Amino acid sequence: MQNVKVVFAYKRGFRRFWVVASVIWLSLALAVFWGGPEFSMAFLEWGVAPVALVYAIGAATVWIIEGFARPD
């Protein structure tokens, strides 16, 4: 039988890792593009877009894996 609490614990752990990595990534992107000629566009392209893309890929992967883990 599947232990649901363990699955949720893994989700929380991955989400916390994503939050920490995203904060670091956004801080670095902010430091690099701050005061540049096209700050807002560059920050959206190189800061925000990768963070959102990684989250979407992670959510899709978890959704697929959970689909295989459910009992029939």
Side-chain angles (χ1 to χ4, degrees):
M1 186 139 207
Q2 181 181 355
N3 188 354
V4 178
K5 292 180 183 178
V6 173
V7 172
F8 290 132
Y10 285 137
K11 275 188 187 179
R12 264 187 266 143
F14 286 130
R15 189 169 290 132
R16 286 177 183 163
F17 175 74
W18 174 80
V19 167
V20 170
S22 296
V23 167
I24 293 170
W25 180 261
L26 290 172
S27 299
L28 290 172
L30 188 64
V32 168
F33 296 114
W34 184 260
E38 292 289 326
F39 168 72
S40 61
M41 195 61 176
F43 184 69
L44 284 174
E45 287 177 7
W46 295 98
V48 177
V51 169
L53 184 65
V54 167
Y55 185 81
I57 290 170
T61 303
V62 167
W63 179 70
I64 291 169
I65 291 171
E66 283 182 345
F68 287 114
R70 292 204 176 119
D72 291 335

